[in-house]
């Protein structure tokens, strides 16, 4: 549990923002969620693809645990959470193998009473 806490701190960027961003990772793309979050100054999770692989080697579900802990911290902080990827397509895409983490994040948000609404360009 201590490892998860430390790794969550290391992978959380712009932690002081009142808004967090979730979406799909798209390698080397300005449309990837962490690029959009960085440009807008939103809080985001990013371990880099090498960091994610390294965590997965330590324990098969460690990266997922850290990702979930990141999201729980944003919920506990009462942050607005912006989605850079269409939430209505997430389940179909996850079934096809893309963005399983994103679909899980949306499930968690729904359980904690988050509702989907427009937010500027998102």
């Amino acid at each position: 549990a201590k490892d998860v806490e430390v790794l969550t701190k290391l992978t959380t960027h712009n932690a002081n923002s009142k808004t967090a961003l979730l979406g799909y990772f798209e390698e080397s793309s300005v449309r990837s969620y962490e690029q959009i979050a960085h440009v807008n100054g939103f809080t985001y999770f990013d371990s880099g693809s090498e960091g994610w692989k390294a965590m997965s080697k330590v324990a098969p579900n460690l990266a997922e645990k850290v990702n979930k802990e990141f999201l729980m911290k944003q919920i506990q902080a009462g942050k607005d959470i912006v989605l850079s990827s269409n939430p209505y397509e997430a389940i179909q895409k996850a079934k096809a193998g893309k963005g399983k983490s994103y679909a899980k994040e949306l499930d968690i948000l729904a359980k904690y009473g988050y509702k989907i609404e427009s937010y500027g360009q998102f």
Side-chain angles (χ1 to χ4, degrees):
K2 185 77 176 145
D3 292 346
V4 171
E5 198 175 305
V6 170
L7 288 167
T8 302
K9 269 195 174 129
L10 291 171
T11 56
T12 299
H13 302 269
N14 295 334
N16 295 330
S17 174
K18 296 194 180 336
T19 305
L21 184 136
L22 306 174
Y24 292 123
F25 173 73
E26 296 180 35
E27 200 164 345
S28 304
S29 171
V30 295
R31 302 196 44 73
S32 192
Y33 79 91
E34 83 286 358
Q35 300 297 320
I36 294 168
H38 177 75
V39 167
N40 288 281
F42 297 147
T43 304
Y44 63 101
F45 169 89
D46 184 21
S47 61
S49 53
E50 293 307 311
W52 187 274
K53 286 178 198 162
M55 283 190 276
S56 298
K57 284 180 186 164
V58 172
N61 60 351
L62 180 59
E64 286 179 18
K65 283 183 179 172
V66 172
N67 191 36
K68 183 177 181 184
E69 180 70 11
F70 162 82
L71 183 55
M72 294 310 298
K73 290 217 177 299
Q74 307 320 304
I75 291 169
Q76 289 160 359
K79 293 189 183 187
D80 286 335
I81 298 179
V82 174
L83 307 174
S84 65
S85 306
N86 186 333
Y88 302 109
E89 297 172 352
I91 293 169
Q92 290 81 6
K93 286 191 175 188
K95 284 179 184 168
K98 179 179 174 157
K100 290 180 182 168
S101 295
Y102 182 57
K104 286 179 189 168
E105 291 166 345
L106 294 174
D107 280 345
I108 292 168
L109 290 175
K111 282 184 192 142
Y112 284 89
Y114 278 78
K115 304 276 184 268
I116 297 172
E117 55 188 63
S118 293
Y119 183 91
Q121 66 192 15
F122 300 101

